């Protein structure tokens, strides 16, 4: 059963958040620390005070409630999603999937341009936001993809495309693997390509430089990723109990992973962070890092489109990607970072439209590359 859903956070939860922020116990900081030791104290105090006294959740809640929200239960898990129909009745449907530390909010600015040509389904990954916490092991990207296939079946879509970044990219590719007869193509804006000395392909200097960046990331595993992949429950206690802990855990990612020329507003970022806090999904969202690292990716047989943004945390190398996927479309942008749908929505929306309207056809795969 699919049920309409309306966001209505109890006032007591908002009051509790403000009270906890007012009683924050701050650490000290060495003089002229900058970013050398982590997130700067002055900037975090500024964000926390704005979250407590200036940021208006109710205003953003009202704006979000202008969208058509729904929930359903799939595989024993509550699933929240936004469903926006195009004015074109026979439009192709797209399912758009966020990553961590994002949410369905990532796609707010691409809804209007994309819905001109596509029906849009924008779910919250199990364990995230209004889908609520997961309660059992095994919610990896393949299991999420199977849930998405069931969701699209319930909505009556026989053919559809998939798009995503971060975990959403892996889920979109897995969806192509578990439902190849329904998925006409997968467009991703995050596609890490690991070094492969046996690939037997010639790489340009640019590609070699990108691989060096990947090697560095592999050699120096980011602390957040290690903690969430190894002990998500442990870090979950701190993030669920301290709003400032939750704030800095995500704000640091936004600070490091965005293009300095396309910064995301504090209000948009705080709305995303508020979703994690108000739904108490810090631990369950972190578990995806652990479960995903233990699952094995499935071969994706559907056409793939790739958008590479210059300031993303890792870069894709096309000759290596083409050994693994049926790449039909490849775009590179000098602007934009990891949160492309929030940073440069116009670029991402145009690229998604170009891929699905020119590289794949409605209901069947295009033969042209």
């Amino acid at each position: 059963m699919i049920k309409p859903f309306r966001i209505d956070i109890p006032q007591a939860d908002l009051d509790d958040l403000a009270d906890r922020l007012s009683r924050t116990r701050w650490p000290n900081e060495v003089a002229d620390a900058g970013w050398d030791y982590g997130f700067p104290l002055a900037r975090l105090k500024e964000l926390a005070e704005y979250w407590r006294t200036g940021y208006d959740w109710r205003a953003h809640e009202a704006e979000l409630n202008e969208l058509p929200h729904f929930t359903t239960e799939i595989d024993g898990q509550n699933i929240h999603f936004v469903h926006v129909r195009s004015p074109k009745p026979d439009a192709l449907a797209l399912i758009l999937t966020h990553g961590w530390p994002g949410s369905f909010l990532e796609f707010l600015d691409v809804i209007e341009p994309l819905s001109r040509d596509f029906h849009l389904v924008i779910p919250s990954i199990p364990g995230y936001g209004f889908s609520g916490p997961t309660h059992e092991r095994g919610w990896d990207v393949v299991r999420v993809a199977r849930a998405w296939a069931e969701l699209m079946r319930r909505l009556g879509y026989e053919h559809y495309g998939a798009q995503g970044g971060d975990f959403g990219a892996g889920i979109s590719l897995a969806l192509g693997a578990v439902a190849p007869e329904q998925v006409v193509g997968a467009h991703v804006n995050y596609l890490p390509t690991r070094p492969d000395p046996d690939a037997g392909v010639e790489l340009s200097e640019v590609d070699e430089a990108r691989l060096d960046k990947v090697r560095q990331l592999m050699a120096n595993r980011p602390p957040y990723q290690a903690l969430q992949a190894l002990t998500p429950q442990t870090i979950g206690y701190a993030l669920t109990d301290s709003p400032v802990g939750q704030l800095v855990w995500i704000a640091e990612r936004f600070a490091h992973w965005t293009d300095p020329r396309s910064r995301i507003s504090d209000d948009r970022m705080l709305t995303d962070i508020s979703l994690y806090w108000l739904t108490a999904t810090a631990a369950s969202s972190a578990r995806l890092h652990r479960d995903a690292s233990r699952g094995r990716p499935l071969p994706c047989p559907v056409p793939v489109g790739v958008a590479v943004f210059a300031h993303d945390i890792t870069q894709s190398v096309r000759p290596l990607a083409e050994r693994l996927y049926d790449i039909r479309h490849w775009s590179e942008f000098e602007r934009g970072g990891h949160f492309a749908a929030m940073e440069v929505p116009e670029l991402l929306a145009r690229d998604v439209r170009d891929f699905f309207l020119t590289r794949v056809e409605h209901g069947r795969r295009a033969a042209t590359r």
Side-chain angles (χ1 to χ4, degrees), residues 202-217:
E202 201 168 311
L203 300 179
S204 67
E205 289 185 10
V206 172
D207 286 339
E208 288 290 357
R210 289 177 174 177
L211 274 186
D212 283 341
K213 190 174 180 180
V214 175
R215 291 187 186 99
Q216 292 171 15
L217 196 66

Side-chain angles (χ1 to χ4, degrees), residues 290-313:
R290 180 178 172 86
D291 290 338
S293 67
R294 283 155 173 74
R296 304 186 88 179
L298 301 174
C300 178
V302 306
V304 173
V306 182
V308 181
F309 292 90
H311 291 266
D312 206 343
I313 56 178

Side-chain angles (χ1 to χ4, degrees), residues 233-263:
Q233 190 69 21
T234 302
I235 190 61
Y237 294 118
L239 303 183
T240 304
D241 188 60
S242 167
V244 165
Q246 181 71 90
L247 171 64
V248 72
W249 196 243
I250 293 180
E252 187 173 63
R253 305 279 71 75
F254 276 94
H256 288 328
W257 293 356
T258 53
D259 182 344
R261 296 168 297 176
S262 55
R263 289 294 188 191

